[in-house]
Amino acid sequence: MQKFTICVIGDDARQAYLAEYLEKEGMLVHTHADWNPAYLENCDLLIGPVGFYKNGELLPDVHKACEQYHVPILNYMSSREFLIANAQITAEGLLAYLILNTPFALNGANALILGFGRCGSAIANRLHVLGCRVDAYDLLPDRFEKPESYDLVINTIPAVVITEDILKPLRKDCVLFDIVTTPGGYDEEAVARLGLKLIRCAAIPGSTAPKAAGYAIGAQAIGYLN
């Protein structure tokens, strides 16, 4: 395979493992924690963090730099294969957060999952295997049948949709988890007023399985270059 020069931007462990993967494949890799358009000079491919995108669109300054230097960017978040792998890694990593931040066993616990896309369904499957009773909703209903029965609530919806009206009927010892990036899915002021416990666990792959996450991105890059 031809040797390409790849620019990797980012400052978490995923990027380090991504670089490792690409170098094993014979690529020349330049890694940078910060972003500077000049990094694209004499580069064949740019791989940036999820933060390079907003609402699914590449940030204007990054887009302009790619056009200026005639360098493509790997949009791995548009790959179905990558999204499935990332959802599985996220679901596995979330278990660590659940176990460490709840006083009860997952076996026999009642869980509510909000959002039933790739991540939501992967989380539901793992909790079910562990003996959790799981309710999952892709769209929020007007009301939940027995909100007082839930021991934990997991949000995967990337918008602030979980309002005070939804939170009020929950028990005070119900633990809330949010896997999406800021601002998350919960009305945080309402969470505070109601005295509920909220655990933020965004970017799970980078904290619990950076090697798997980095290698998954690397596989997408090699597939693109082939």
Side-chain angles (χ1 to χ4, degrees):
M1 183 179 179
Q2 181 181 344
K3 188 171 187 174
F4 293 96
T5 300
I6 302 175
C7 177
V8 174
I9 305 295
D11 61 356
D12 71 32
R14 277 175 294 190
Q15 278 73 37
Y17 284 112
L18 166 59
E20 176 183 277
Y21 181 95
L22 295 173
E23 287 168 350
K24 285 181 179 179
E25 293 291 326
M27 304 296 112
L28 178 62
V29 183
H30 299 297
T31 59
H32 304 277
D34 62 340
W35 163 241
N36 188 320
Y39 296 154
L40 297 184
E41 191 168 358
N42 301 317
C43 178
D44 298 305
L45 180 67
L46 169 64
I47 306 177
V50 175
F52 269 13
Y53 295 86
K54 185 174 182 180
N55 299 324
E57 298 291 330
L58 190 61
L59 295 178
D61 64 317
V62 179
H63 179 75
K64 181 179 179 181
C66 288
E67 286 195 333
Q68 178 184 347
Y69 287 94
H70 306 289
V71 174
I73 183 170
L74 180 71
N75 185 7
Y76 49 88
M77 293 302 291
S78 67
S79 163
R80 180 176 180 275
E81 181 183 51
F82 172 79
L83 291 174
I84 291 172
N86 198 59
Q88 297 300 325
I89 296 169
T90 298
E92 180 182 308
L94 177 62
L95 295 179
Y97 287 88
L98 299 181
I99 292 167
L100 291 172
N101 291 284
T102 54
F104 47 81
L106 293 179
N107 181 35
N110 293 311
L112 171 63
I113 298 175
L114 302 176
F116 202 61
R118 292 185 180 90
C119 284
S121 59
I123 293 166
N125 289 338
R126 276 167 172 73
L127 291 180
H128 179 73
V129 169
L130 291 173
C132 265
R133 292 183 287 270
V134 180
D135 290 338
Y137 294 84
D138 197 28
L139 298 175
L140 295 184
D142 292 332
R143 60 182 295 275
F144 298 103
E145 273 194 38
K146 294 182 178 179
E148 69 283 354
S149 70
Y150 295 120
D151 299 298
L152 58 97
V153 179
I154 301 166
N155 175 61
T156 73
I157 301 171
V160 182
V161 293
I162 306 167
T163 62
E164 187 160 356
D165 288 341
I166 294 173
L167 296 169
K168 266 184 181 178
L170 299 175
R171 297 198 318 268
K172 294 299 182 185
D173 61 349
C174 178
V175 186
L176 314 177
F177 294 85
D178 204 339
I179 72 164
V180 301
T181 54
T182 304
Y186 295 92
D187 178 340
E188 291 197 19
E189 291 184 359
V191 170
R193 280 195 299 272
L194 295 169
L196 295 169
K197 180 180 179 181
L198 171 60
I199 306 299
R200 285 199 161 281
C201 34
I204 288 174
S207 59
T208 64
K211 182 174 182 178
Y215 275 38
I217 298 170
Q220 291 300 308
I222 296 303
Y224 175 84
L225 293 169
N226 280 333

